[in-house]
Amino acid sequence: NAGVTQTPKFQVLKTGQSMTLQCAQDMNHNSMYWYRQDPGMGLRLIYYSASEGTTDKGEVPNGYNVSRLNKREFSLRLESAAPSQTSVYFCASMEPKRGYGYTFGSGTRLTVV
Amino acid sequence: QKEVEQNSGPLSVPEGAIASLNCTYSDRGSQSFFWYRQYSGKSPELIMFIYSNGDKEDGRFTAQLNKASQYVSLLIRDSQPSDSATYLCAPRDDKIIFGKGTRLHILP
């Protein structure tokens, strides 16, 4: 099925460890996004990529890095995980020219202990 | 950046009644809006898109946009327990800033 695929679905990290969250879409969308969602909070934008080769900071970029590897893939890296980064992470993609809104991945539930 | 305000709820509505969800915005440049539904533990899914003043109907859902008063609403007719979720209003933009959404609880 066409859509946005995120891996892994669950992850537990120790403080200070690093990891990369993977996201891939097969809808030929130009724009891709990373959000985090904490309990009782809305979705907060971490980073986004308007097109292949470009990335920009969102509302809460500190502690994260991203790579737009190609048009399909947009990864999110935590270099030194902290308990405050415990959250559910959602990747999304959109084709701005079509205006259909985001398609979200199923999310990665990350716990940092 | 374009932002919206929503009552976080929870909004409790009896089964079979009409649920009314509201959203206000401050940026007059916002021309069109999405409504997303998010079930607990799941990712948001797009349910409505409205870009012109007035009403847009899709099954039991009606989205309303009033650009003069700067509000958007979502009406759910014949509410079902399966409608219990958080509903997110978002302005169409290349970089969407979401509000916290409104939690809706349909009482059986």
Side-chain angles (χ1 to χ4, degrees):
Chain A
N1 293 333
V4 179
T5 303
Q6 288 184 238
T7 56
K9 293 191 183 304
F10 302 94
Q11 184 71 48
V12 178
L13 287 179
K14 293 182 178 179
T15 298
Q17 286 185 319
S18 62
M19 80 161 295
T20 300
L21 281 64
Q22 307 287 352
C23 176
Q25 53 93 7
D26 57 5
M27 296 170 287
N28 203 36
H29 287 171
N30 275 300
S31 301
M32 297 185 73
Y33 308 81
W34 278 104
Y35 287 86
R36 61 177 287 176
Q37 188 172 39
D38 303 310
M41 301 286 289
L43 291 156
R44 291 187 290 171
L45 182 63
I46 305 171
Y47 270 95
Y48 67 103
S49 171
S51 61
E52 184 178 355
T54 69
T55 61
D56 285 289
K57 295 178 180 179
E59 301 169 272
V60 288
N62 292 343
Y64 304 95
N65 286 300
V66 291
S67 296
R68 184 74 182 266
L69 304 170
N70 47 56
K71 192 171 185 178
R72 291 187 61 248
E73 298 173 289
F74 188 39
S75 62
L76 179 71
R77 182 160 179 83
L78 288 69
E79 290 291 352
S80 179
S84 61
Q85 294 178 304
T86 294
S87 190
V88 179
Y89 291 85
F90 290 104
C91 176
S93 71
M94 178 175 71
E95 179 47 60
K97 296 177 184 177
R98 294 184 209 153
Y100 289 164
Y102 287 173
T103 299
F104 282 88
S106 58
T108 295
R109 189 173 295 274
L110 175 67
T111 301
V112 183
V113 297
Chain B
Q1 56 194 19
K2 300 173 182 176
E3 297 182 4
V4 298
E5 292 285 336
Q6 291 182 260
N7 188 322
S8 61
L11 174 66
S12 296
V13 174
E15 182 175 357
I18 296 175
S20 177
L21 305 163
N22 299 311
C23 169
T24 58
Y25 62 96
S26 56
D27 183 352
R28 288 195 173 272
S30 297
Q31 294 294 312
S32 54
F33 293 84
F34 299 107
W35 279 101
Y36 289 85
R37 176 177 63 198
Q38 185 177 24
Y39 292 115
S40 181
K42 301 295 185 181
S43 57
E45 58 178 324
L46 182 66
I47 56 172
M48 292 288 280
F49 173 53
I50 185 165
Y51 57 89
S52 58
N53 267 329
D55 297 358
K56 180 180 178 181
E57 188 173 320
D58 184 0
R60 296 187 296 110
F61 296 92
T62 299
Q64 300 174 319
L65 175 58
N66 185 319
K67 293 184 180 180
S69 300
Q70 295 181 241
Y71 78 80
V72 193
S73 61
L74 180 69
L75 302 178
I76 306 174
R77 291 182 300 280
D78 188 24
S79 297
Q80 302 297 310
S82 59
D83 295 324
S84 297
T86 296
Y87 290 80
L88 304 164
C89 163
R92 179 187 172 186
D93 198 358
D94 290 344
K95 179 185 71 175
I96 298 179
I97 303 299
F98 288 92
K100 294 182 181 181
T102 299
R103 283 186 296 136
L104 175 66
H105 180 50
I106 306 301
L107 303 169

Coordinates of all heavy atoms in Angstrom, one line a residue, chain A residues 41-113:
Chain A
M41 N -0.1 16.9 24.8 CA 0.5 18.0 23.9 C 0.1 17.8 22.5 O -0.3 16.7 22.1 CB 2.0 18.1 24.0 CG 2.5 18.3 25.4 SD 2.3 20.0 26.0 CE 3.5 20.8 24.9
G42 N 0.1 18.8 21.7 CA -0.2 18.7 20.3 C 1.1 18.2 19.6 O 2.1 17.9 20.2
L43 N 1.0 18.1 18.3 CA 2.1 17.8 17.5 C 3.0 19.0 17.3 O 2.6 20.1 17.0 CB 1.6 17.4 16.1 CG 0.8 16.1 16.0 CD1 -0.1 16.1 14.8 CD2 1.8 14.9 15.9
R44 N 4.3 18.8 17.6 CA 5.2 19.9 17.5 C 6.3 19.5 16.4 O 6.8 18.5 16.3 CB 6.0 20.1 18.8 CG 5.0 20.7 19.9 CD 5.8 21.1 21.1 NE 6.3 19.9 21.8 CZ 7.1 19.9 22.9 NH1 7.6 21.1 23.3 NH2 7.5 18.8 23.5
L45 N 6.5 20.5 15.5 CA 7.3 20.3 14.3 C 8.8 20.4 14.7 O 9.2 21.4 15.3 CB 7.0 21.3 13.3 CG 7.8 21.3 12.0 CD1 7.5 19.9 11.2 CD2 7.4 22.5 11.1
I46 N 9.5 19.3 14.4 CA 11.0 19.3 14.7 C 11.8 19.9 13.6 O 12.5 20.8 13.7 CB 11.4 17.9 15.0 CG1 10.5 17.2 16.1 CG2 12.9 17.8 15.5 CD1 10.8 15.7 16.3
Y47 N 11.7 19.2 12.4 CA 12.4 19.6 11.2 C 11.5 19.3 10.0 O 10.6 18.4 10.1 CB 13.7 18.9 11.0 CG 14.9 19.5 11.6 CD1 15.3 19.1 12.9 CD2 15.7 20.4 10.9 CE1 16.5 19.7 13.5 CE2 16.8 21.0 11.5 CZ 17.2 20.6 12.8 OH 18.3 21.1 13.3
Y48 N 11.7 20.0 8.9 CA 11.0 19.7 7.7 C 11.9 19.8 6.5 O 13.0 20.5 6.6 CB 9.7 20.5 7.6 CG 9.9 21.9 7.3 CD1 9.8 22.5 6.1 CD2 10.2 22.8 8.4 CE1 9.9 23.9 5.9 CE2 10.4 24.2 8.2 CZ 10.2 24.7 7.0 OH 10.4 26.0 6.8
S49 N 11.5 19.2 5.4 CA 12.3 19.3 4.2 C 11.3 19.7 3.1 O 10.4 18.8 2.7 CB 13.0 18.0 3.9 OG 13.5 18.0 2.6
A50 N 11.4 20.9 2.5 CA 10.4 21.3 1.5 C 10.7 20.6 0.2 O 9.8 20.4 -0.6 CB 10.5 22.8 1.3
S51 N 11.9 20.2 0.0 CA 12.2 19.4 -1.3 C 13.6 18.7 -1.1 O 14.3 19.0 -0.1 CB 12.3 20.4 -2.5 OG 13.3 21.3 -2.2
E52 N 13.9 17.8 -2.0 CA 15.1 17.1 -1.9 C 16.3 18.0 -1.8 O 16.3 19.0 -2.6 CB 15.2 16.2 -3.1 CG 16.4 15.2 -3.1 CD 16.5 14.3 -4.3 OE1 15.5 14.4 -5.1 OE2 17.5 13.6 -4.5
G53 N 17.2 17.8 -0.8 CA 18.3 18.7 -0.7 C 18.2 19.8 0.2 O 19.2 20.6 0.5
T54 N 17.0 20.1 0.7 CA 16.8 21.2 1.7 C 16.2 20.7 3.0 O 15.4 19.7 3.0 CB 15.8 22.2 1.1 OG1 14.5 21.7 1.0 CG2 16.3 22.7 -0.3
T55 N 16.6 21.3 4.1 CA 16.0 21.0 5.4 C 15.9 22.3 6.2 O 16.8 23.2 6.0 CB 16.8 20.0 6.2 OG1 18.1 20.5 6.4 CG2 16.9 18.7 5.5
D56 N 14.9 22.4 7.0 CA 14.8 23.6 7.8 C 14.3 23.3 9.2 O 13.6 22.2 9.4 CB 13.7 24.6 7.2 CG 14.3 25.3 6.0 OD1 15.2 26.2 6.2 OD2 13.9 25.0 4.9
K57 N 14.6 24.1 10.2 CA 14.2 23.9 11.6 C 12.7 24.2 11.7 O 12.2 25.1 11.1 CB 15.0 24.8 12.5 CG 16.5 24.4 12.5 CD 17.3 25.4 13.5 CE 18.7 25.0 13.5 NZ 19.5 25.9 14.4
G58 N 12.1 23.4 12.6 CA 10.7 23.7 13.0 C 10.7 24.4 14.4 O 11.5 25.2 14.7
E59 N 9.7 24.0 15.2 CA 9.5 24.6 16.5 C 10.5 24.1 17.6 O 10.9 24.9 18.5 CB 8.1 24.3 17.0 CG 6.9 24.7 16.1 CD 5.6 24.1 16.6 OE1 5.3 23.0 16.2 OE2 4.9 24.8 17.4
V60 N 10.8 22.8 17.5 CA 11.7 22.2 18.6 C 12.8 21.4 18.0 O 12.9 20.2 18.1 CB 10.8 21.3 19.5 CG1 9.9 22.2 20.3 CG2 10.0 20.3 18.7
P61 N 13.8 22.1 17.3 CA 14.9 21.3 16.6 C 16.0 20.9 17.5 O 16.8 20.1 17.1 CB 15.4 22.3 15.6 CG 15.1 23.7 16.3 CD 13.9 23.5 17.1
N62 N 16.2 21.5 18.7 CA 17.3 21.2 19.6 C 17.5 19.8 19.9 O 16.5 19.2 20.4 CB 17.3 22.1 20.8 CG 17.5 23.6 20.5 OD1 18.0 23.9 19.4 ND2 17.1 24.4 21.4
G63 N 18.6 19.2 19.8 CA 18.9 17.8 20.1 C 18.7 16.9 18.9 O 18.9 15.7 19.1
Y64 N 18.3 17.4 17.8 CA 18.0 16.5 16.6 C 18.8 17.0 15.4 O 19.1 18.2 15.3 CB 16.5 16.6 16.3 CG 15.6 16.2 17.4 CD1 15.0 17.2 18.2 CD2 15.3 14.9 17.7 CE1 14.2 16.9 19.3 CE2 14.4 14.6 18.7 CZ 13.9 15.6 19.5 OH 13.0 15.2 20.5
N65 N 19.0 16.1 14.5 CA 19.5 16.4 13.2 C 18.7 15.6 12.2 O 18.2 14.5 12.5 CB 21.0 16.1 13.0 CG 21.9 17.1 13.8 OD1 21.8 18.2 13.5 ND2 22.6 16.6 14.7
V66 N 18.7 16.1 10.9 CA 17.9 15.4 9.9 C 18.8 15.3 8.6 O 19.7 16.0 8.4 CB 16.6 16.1 9.6 CG1 15.6 16.0 10.7 CG2 16.8 17.5 9.2
S67 N 18.4 14.3 7.8 CA 19.0 14.1 6.5 C 17.9 13.8 5.5 O 17.1 12.9 5.7 CB 20.0 13.0 6.5 OG 21.1 13.3 7.4
R68 N 17.8 14.6 4.4 CA 16.9 14.2 3.3 C 17.8 13.4 2.3 O 18.5 14.0 1.5 CB 16.3 15.4 2.7 CG 15.3 15.1 1.6 CD 14.0 14.6 2.1 NE 13.1 14.3 1.1 CZ 12.1 15.1 0.6 NH1 12.0 16.3 1.1 NH2 11.3 14.6 -0.3
L69 N 17.8 12.1 2.4 CA 18.7 11.3 1.7 C 18.4 11.3 0.2 O 19.3 11.2 -0.6 CB 18.6 9.9 2.2 CG 18.9 9.7 3.8 CD1 18.5 8.4 4.3 CD2 20.3 10.1 4.1
N70 N 17.2 11.3 -0.1 CA 16.7 11.4 -1.5 C 15.2 11.9 -1.4 O 14.7 12.2 -0.4 CB 16.8 10.1 -2.2 CG 16.3 8.9 -1.4 OD1 15.2 9.0 -1.0 ND2 17.2 8.0 -1.1
K71 N 14.5 11.8 -2.5 CA 13.1 12.3 -2.5 C 12.3 11.4 -1.6 O 11.3 11.9 -1.0 CB 12.6 12.4 -3.9 CG 11.2 13.1 -4.0 CD 10.8 13.3 -5.4 CE 9.5 14.2 -5.4 NZ 9.1 14.5 -6.8
R72 N 12.6 10.2 -1.5 CA 11.7 9.2 -0.7 C 12.0 9.2 0.8 O 11.1 9.0 1.5 CB 12.0 7.8 -1.2 CG 11.5 7.5 -2.6 CD 11.6 6.0 -2.9 NE 10.8 5.2 -2.0 CZ 11.3 4.4 -1.1 NH1 12.6 4.3 -0.9 NH2 10.5 3.7 -0.3
E73 N 13.3 9.5 1.2 CA 13.7 9.2 2.5 C 14.1 10.4 3.3 O 14.8 11.3 2.8 CB 14.8 8.2 2.5 CG 14.5 6.9 1.9 CD 15.7 6.0 1.8 OE1 16.5 6.3 0.9 OE2 15.8 5.0 2.5
F74 N 13.6 10.5 4.6 CA 13.9 11.6 5.5 C 14.2 11.0 6.8 O 13.2 10.5 7.5 CB 12.8 12.6 5.4 CG 13.0 13.9 6.2 CD1 14.2 14.6 6.1 CD2 11.9 14.5 6.9 CE1 14.4 15.8 6.7 CE2 12.1 15.7 7.5 CZ 13.3 16.4 7.4
S75 N 15.4 11.1 7.3 CA 15.7 10.5 8.6 C 15.9 11.5 9.7 O 16.3 12.7 9.4 CB 17.0 9.6 8.5 OG 18.1 10.4 8.1
L76 N 15.7 11.1 10.9 CA 15.8 12.0 12.1 C 16.8 11.3 13.0 O 16.7 10.1 13.4 CB 14.5 12.1 12.8 CG 14.5 12.9 14.1 CD1 14.7 14.4 13.8 CD2 13.2 12.7 14.9
R77 N 17.9 12.0 13.4 CA 18.9 11.5 14.3 C 18.9 12.2 15.6 O 18.9 13.4 15.7 CB 20.3 11.6 13.6 CG 21.4 10.9 14.4 CD 22.6 10.6 13.6 NE 23.7 10.0 14.4 CZ 23.7 8.7 14.7 NH1 22.8 7.9 14.3 NH2 24.7 8.3 15.4
L78 N 19.0 11.3 16.7 CA 19.3 11.8 18.0 C 20.7 11.5 18.3 O 21.1 10.3 18.4 CB 18.4 11.1 19.0 CG 16.9 11.5 19.1 CD1 16.2 11.1 17.8 CD2 16.2 11.0 20.3
E79 N 21.6 12.4 18.5 CA 23.0 12.2 18.7 C 23.3 11.7 20.1 O 24.1 10.9 20.3 CB 23.8 13.5 18.4 CG 23.8 13.8 16.9 CD 24.6 12.9 16.0 OE1 25.3 12.0 16.6 OE2 24.6 13.0 14.8
S80 N 22.6 12.3 21.1 CA 22.9 11.9 22.5 C 21.5 12.0 23.2 O 21.1 13.1 23.6 CB 23.9 12.9 23.1 OG 24.1 12.5 24.5
A81 N 20.8 10.9 23.2 CA 19.4 10.9 23.7 C 19.3 11.4 25.1 O 20.2 11.0 26.0 CB 18.8 9.5 23.5
A82 N 18.3 12.1 25.4 CA 18.0 12.6 26.8 C 16.5 12.1 27.1 O 15.7 12.0 26.3 CB 18.1 14.1 26.8
P83 N 16.2 12.0 28.4 CA 14.9 11.6 28.8 C 13.8 12.5 28.3 O 12.7 12.1 28.1 CB 15.0 11.6 30.4 CG 16.4 11.3 30.7 CD 17.2 12.0 29.6
S84 N 14.1 13.8 28.1 CA 13.2 14.8 27.6 C 12.8 14.5 26.1 O 11.8 15.0 25.6 CB 13.7 16.2 27.7 OG 14.9 16.3 26.9
Q85 N 13.5 13.6 25.5 CA 13.2 13.2 24.1 C 12.3 12.0 24.0 O 12.0 11.5 22.9 CB 14.5 13.0 23.3 CG 15.3 14.3 23.1 CD 16.6 14.1 22.4 OE1 17.4 13.3 22.8 NE2 16.7 14.8 21.3
T86 N 11.9 11.5 25.2 CA 10.9 10.4 25.2 C 9.6 11.0 24.7 O 9.1 12.0 25.1 CB 10.6 10.0 26.7 OG1 11.8 9.3 27.2 CG2 9.5 9.0 26.8
S87 N 9.1 10.3 23.6 CA 8.0 10.9 22.9 C 7.5 9.9 21.8 O 8.1 8.9 21.6 CB 8.3 12.2 22.2 OG 7.2 12.9 21.7
V88 N 6.4 10.3 21.1 CA 6.1 9.6 19.9 C 6.4 10.5 18.8 O 6.1 11.6 18.7 CB 4.5 9.2 19.9 CG1 4.2 8.5 18.6 CG2 4.2 8.4 21.1
Y89 N 7.1 9.9 17.8 CA 7.6 10.7 16.7 C 6.8 10.2 15.4 O 6.7 9.1 15.1 CB 9.1 10.4 16.5 CG 9.9 11.0 17.6 CD1 10.2 10.3 18.7 CD2 10.5 12.3 17.4 CE1 10.9 10.9 19.8 CE2 11.2 12.8 18.5 CZ 11.4 12.1 19.6 OH 12.2 12.7 20.6
F90 N 6.3 11.3 14.7 CA 5.6 11.0 13.5 C 6.3 11.7 12.3 O 6.7 12.8 12.4 CB 4.2 11.6 13.6 CG 3.3 10.9 14.5 CD1 2.9 11.4 15.7 CD2 2.7 9.7 14.2 CE1 2.1 10.8 16.6 CE2 1.9 9.0 15.0 CZ 1.5 9.5 16.2
C91 N 6.4 10.9 11.3 CA 6.9 11.4 10.0 C 5.7 11.7 9.1 O 4.7 10.9 9.2 CB 7.8 10.4 9.3 SG 8.4 10.9 7.7
A92 N 5.7 12.7 8.3 CA 4.6 13.0 7.4 C 5.2 13.5 6.1 O 6.3 14.0 6.0 CB 3.7 14.0 8.0
S93 N 4.4 13.3 5.0 CA 4.8 13.9 3.7 C 3.6 14.6 3.1 O 2.4 14.3 3.5 CB 5.3 12.8 2.8 OG 4.3 11.9 2.4
M94 N 3.9 15.5 2.2 CA 2.9 16.2 1.5 C 3.4 16.7 0.1 O 4.6 16.9 -0.1 CB 2.5 17.4 2.3 CG 1.4 18.3 1.7 SD 0.9 19.7 2.8 CE 2.3 20.7 2.8
E95 N 2.4 16.8 -0.8 CA 2.8 17.4 -2.1 C 2.1 18.8 -2.1 O 0.9 18.8 -2.3 CB 2.3 16.6 -3.3 CG 2.6 17.2 -4.6 CD 4.0 17.7 -4.7 OE1 5.0 17.0 -4.5 OE2 4.2 19.0 -4.9
P96 N 2.8 19.9 -1.8 CA 2.2 21.2 -1.7 C 1.4 21.6 -2.9 O 0.4 22.3 -2.7 CB 3.4 22.1 -1.5 CG 4.5 21.2 -1.0 CD 4.3 19.9 -1.6
K97 N 1.8 21.2 -4.1 CA 1.0 21.6 -5.3 C -0.4 21.1 -5.3 O -1.2 21.6 -5.9 CB 1.8 21.3 -6.5 CG 3.2 22.0 -6.6 CD 3.9 21.5 -7.8 CE 5.3 22.1 -7.9 NZ 6.1 21.6 -9.0
R98 N -0.5 19.9 -4.7 CA -1.9 19.3 -4.7 C -2.8 19.7 -3.6 O -4.0 19.6 -3.6 CB -1.7 17.8 -4.7 CG -1.0 17.2 -5.9 CD -1.0 15.7 -5.8 NE 0.1 15.1 -6.5 CZ 0.7 14.0 -6.2 NH1 0.2 13.2 -5.3 NH2 1.7 13.6 -6.9
G99 N -2.2 20.2 -2.5 CA -3.0 20.7 -1.4 C -3.8 19.7 -0.7 O -4.9 20.0 -0.1
Y100 N -3.4 18.4 -0.7 CA -4.2 17.4 -0.1 C -3.9 17.2 1.4 O -4.5 16.3 2.0 CB -4.0 16.0 -0.8 CG -4.6 16.0 -2.2 CD1 -4.2 15.0 -3.1 CD2 -5.5 16.9 -2.6 CE1 -4.7 14.9 -4.4 CE2 -6.1 16.8 -3.9 CZ -5.7 15.8 -4.8 OH -6.2 15.7 -6.0
G101 N -3.0 17.9 1.9 CA -2.7 17.7 3.3 C -1.6 16.7 3.5 O -1.2 16.0 2.6
Y102 N -1.3 16.4 4.8 CA -0.3 15.5 5.1 C -0.8 14.0 5.1 O -2.0 13.8 5.4 CB 0.2 15.7 6.6 CG 1.0 16.9 6.9 CD1 1.3 17.2 8.2 CD2 1.5 17.7 5.9 CE1 2.1 18.2 8.5 CE2 2.3 18.8 6.2 CZ 2.6 19.0 7.5 OH 3.4 20.1 7.8
T103 N 0.1 13.1 4.8 CA -0.1 11.7 5.0 C 1.0 11.4 6.1 O 2.2 11.7 6.0 CB 0.2 10.9 3.8 OG1 -0.7 11.2 2.8 CG2 0.0 9.4 4.1
F104 N 0.5 10.8 7.2 CA 1.4 10.5 8.3 C 1.8 9.0 8.3 O 1.0 8.1 7.9 CB 0.6 10.7 9.7 CG 0.6 12.2 10.0 CD1 -0.5 13.0 9.6 CD2 1.5 12.8 10.8 CE1 -0.6 14.3 9.9 CE2 1.4 14.1 11.2 CZ 0.4 14.9 10.7
G105 N 3.0 8.8 8.9 CA 3.4 7.4 9.2 C 2.7 7.0 10.5 O 2.1 7.7 11.1
S106 N 3.0 5.7 10.8 CA 2.3 5.2 12.0 C 3.0 5.5 13.3 O 2.4 5.2 14.4 CB 2.2 3.6 11.9 OG 3.5 3.1 11.7
G107 N 4.1 6.1 13.2 CA 4.8 6.6 14.5 C 5.8 5.7 15.0 O 5.8 4.5 14.8
T108 N 6.8 6.3 15.7 CA 7.8 5.6 16.5 C 7.7 6.0 17.9 O 7.8 7.2 18.3 CB 9.2 5.9 16.0 OG1 9.4 5.5 14.6 CG2 10.3 5.3 16.9
R109 N 7.5 5.0 18.8 CA 7.4 5.3 20.2 C 8.7 5.1 20.8 O 9.2 4.0 20.9 CB 6.3 4.4 20.9 CG 6.0 4.8 22.3 CD 4.9 3.9 22.8 NE 3.6 4.2 22.1 CZ 2.8 5.1 22.4 NH1 3.0 6.0 23.4 NH2 1.7 5.3 21.7
L110 N 9.4 6.2 21.3 CA 10.7 6.2 21.8 C 10.7 6.5 23.3 O 10.1 7.5 23.7 CB 11.6 7.3 21.1 CG 13.0 7.5 21.6 CD1 13.8 6.2 21.3 CD2 13.7 8.7 21.0
T111 N 11.4 5.7 24.0 CA 11.6 5.9 25.5 C 13.1 6.0 25.8 O 13.8 5.1 25.4 CB 11.0 4.7 26.3 OG1 9.6 4.6 26.0 CG2 11.1 5.0 27.8
V112 N 13.4 7.1 26.4 CA 14.8 7.2 26.9 C 14.9 7.1 28.4 O 14.3 7.9 29.1 CB 15.4 8.6 26.4 CG1 16.9 8.7 26.8 CG2 15.2 8.8 24.9
V113 N 15.7 6.2 28.8 CA 15.8 5.9 30.3 C 17.1 6.3 30.8 O 18.1 6.5 30.1 CB 15.5 4.4 30.6 CG1 14.1 4.0 30.1 CG2 16.6 3.5 29.9

